Amino acid sequence: MLTFALFGAGRIGRLHAANIAGHPNARLAAVADTVPAAAEELAARFGTVVAGVDEALASPAIDAVLIATSTDTHAPLIEAAAAAGKAILCEKPIDQDSARATAAVGAATAAGVPLAVGFNRRFDASFASLKARLDAGAIGSPEIVSIASRDPAPPPLSYVRVSGGLFRDMMIHDLDMARWLLGEEPVEVHAMGSALVDPAIAGAGDVDTAVVTLRTASGRLAQISNSRRAAYGYDQRIECHGSAGMLRAENLRATTVELATADGFSRDPVLHFFLERYGPAYRAELDAFVDAVTSGRPPAPTGEDGLAALRLADAAQKSLETGMPVRL
């Protein structure tokens, strides 16, 4: 049994609270949030208590922390949890600043505590199956990884202003997936972006539509397409092309039912939001973390994975600003 303190009672914190409370080998021992009412409501829902961060970290009854707070608090909370000897599962990104994120990962390493970063898409059943078949040689040597990741609508402008930009906030998931699937580290990044969805996003210094290409030392390529708008729902697709074939993971729909009439064929729309699309992946992520920590294995994705994806996001931002490819 792994006993958790949850830091953050917002939208993603509520999802994690339900997953911890429902896990057979985990227990939610405390909830902390800067908004007392949010922490109290969530604690009451799952029969636990509200605690301050310092109180939770000082408790010998708590084994691990799950950090689901705002990004600017991730690094200091990682460092505090590491100093307290707690295992850590932290939502992405570790920080918006690579140097600050590096310091936080270093603190966890120095303390010898497990640290996993919440790249939940690795735990999606379809994507995990694609990766397993890729590693088994189903398509020979991988040559091109193509990732489409498009949100149904942009977030509020207030969020955009503090998000760190599309590459660090949204595409960082896809940059992690590209590293994972390529099997080699990218050595070159080229980004292009526009504000086509909402001119106010450009006014906030960000883009809402972007394409990034990555190249590894051996020449393997990845292409990532992001948009803050998809009129048809939450678009999440991956295709891997290799020397002996192709692997593809498609969007998920509410059902697999297809209707055929004289007007043509129709199917249910794709799932509309990430909480629906990746609900099972979040549960599998927690399951993997609990299993790793309780069995003494290092959990994954690691802090180093978090740093690598953040550095790729930094390179993409630099490429966007300069109009030139960036070598790593």
Side-chain angles (χ1 to χ4, degrees), residues 48-61:
T48 188
V49 300
V50 174
V53 168
D54 292 343
E55 179 187 359
L57 293 178
S59 172

Side-chain angles (χ1 to χ4, degrees), residues 239-253:
E239 180 182 289
C240 294
H241 174 74
S243 58
M246 179 184 71
L247 285 162
R248 183 165 59 202
E250 295 286 356
N251 280 314
L252 298 186
R253 301 170 186 270

Side-chain angles (χ1 to χ4, degrees), residues 1-144:
M1 183 69 66
L2 199 66
T3 302
F4 280 85
L6 172 66
F7 298 160
R11 179 177 66 184
I12 197 66
R14 292 193 295 271
L15 179 145
H16 285 303
N19 289 345
I20 294 169
H23 196 284
N25 296 317
R27 184 173 72 88
L28 183 60
V31 176
D33 195 279
T34 55
V35 180
E40 289 164 6
E41 187 277 331
L42 194 59
R45 186 189 310 176
F46 293 106
T48 188
V49 300
V50 174
V53 168
D54 292 343
E55 179 187 359
L57 293 178
S59 172
I62 289 175
D63 308 307
V65 299
L66 198 157
I67 301 172
T69 51
S70 60
T71 297
D72 61 314
T73 67
H74 289 181
L77 287 174
I78 287 172
E79 291 166 346
K86 310 300 185 185
I88 306 161
L89 173 55
C90 181
E91 274 294 339
K92 65 79 195 170
I94 298 169
D95 195 86
Q96 293 177 6
D97 179 78
S98 290
R100 186 69 187 87
T102 299
V105 173
T109 301
V113 301
L115 168 62
V117 178
F119 288 130
N120 64 291
R121 295 180 190 185
R122 293 194 186 197
F123 299 93
D124 174 78
S126 295
F127 296 165
S129 176
L130 184 151
K131 168 66 170 172
R133 299 182 199 197
L134 183 67
D135 289 349
I139 61 168
S141 177
E143 296 170 352
I144 303 174

Side-chain angles (χ1 to χ4, degrees), residues 66-306:
L66 198 157
I67 301 172
T69 51
S70 60
T71 297
D72 61 314
T73 67
H74 289 181
L77 287 174
I78 287 172
E79 291 166 346
K86 310 300 185 185
I88 306 161
L89 173 55
C90 181
E91 274 294 339
K92 65 79 195 170
I94 298 169
D95 195 86
Q96 293 177 6
D97 179 78
S98 290
R100 186 69 187 87
T102 299
V105 173
T109 301
V113 301
L115 168 62
V117 178
F119 288 130
N120 64 291
R121 295 180 190 185
R122 293 194 186 197
F123 299 93
D124 174 78
S126 295
F127 296 165
S129 176
L130 184 151
K131 168 66 170 172
R133 299 182 199 197
L134 183 67
D135 289 349
I139 61 168
S141 177
E143 296 170 352
I144 303 174
V145 172
S146 300
I147 300 173
S149 181
R150 300 166 188 148
D151 287 351
L157 199 59
S158 58
Y159 177 83
V160 171
R161 291 192 181 102
V162 299
S163 68
L166 180 143
F167 300 118
R168 297 184 186 94
D169 171 58
M170 179 180 177
M171 191 181 287
I172 195 166
H173 275 295
D174 307 305
L175 294 167
D176 175 68
M177 290 296 292
R179 290 184 60 244
W180 189 51
L181 296 171
L182 284 168
E184 299 175 355
E185 292 297 332
V187 298
E188 186 176 59
V189 180
H190 193 186
M192 299 181 70
S194 302
L196 302 177
V197 177
D198 185 351
I201 291 178
D206 199 7
V207 297
D208 53 38
T209 308
V211 175
V212 165
T213 56
L214 310 171
R215 184 174 64 84
T216 71
S218 73
R220 291 178 181 175
L221 301 174
Q223 51 190 359
I224 300 170
S225 166
N226 272 189
S227 175
R228 292 287 196 184
R229 174 179 59 198
Y232 47 88
Y234 190 46
D235 191 2
Q236 301 285 291
R237 290 171 287 129
I238 292 177
E239 180 182 289
C240 294
H241 174 74
S243 58
M246 179 184 71
L247 285 162
R248 183 165 59 202
E250 295 286 356
N251 280 314
L252 298 186
R253 301 170 186 270
T255 76
T256 61
V257 175
E258 184 173 57
L259 171 66
T261 69
D263 295 325
F265 289 77
S266 64
R267 293 187 290 168
D268 286 347
V270 300
L271 297 179
H272 188 68
F273 201 40
F274 81 94
L275 293 176
E276 301 169 82
R277 172 64 177 80
Y278 289 117
Y282 279 108
R283 291 191 291 273
E285 173 188 72
L286 177 66
D287 190 50
F289 180 78
V290 170
D291 184 61
V293 173
T294 56
S295 63
R297 292 181 290 101
T302 65
E304 292 299 327
D305 289 320

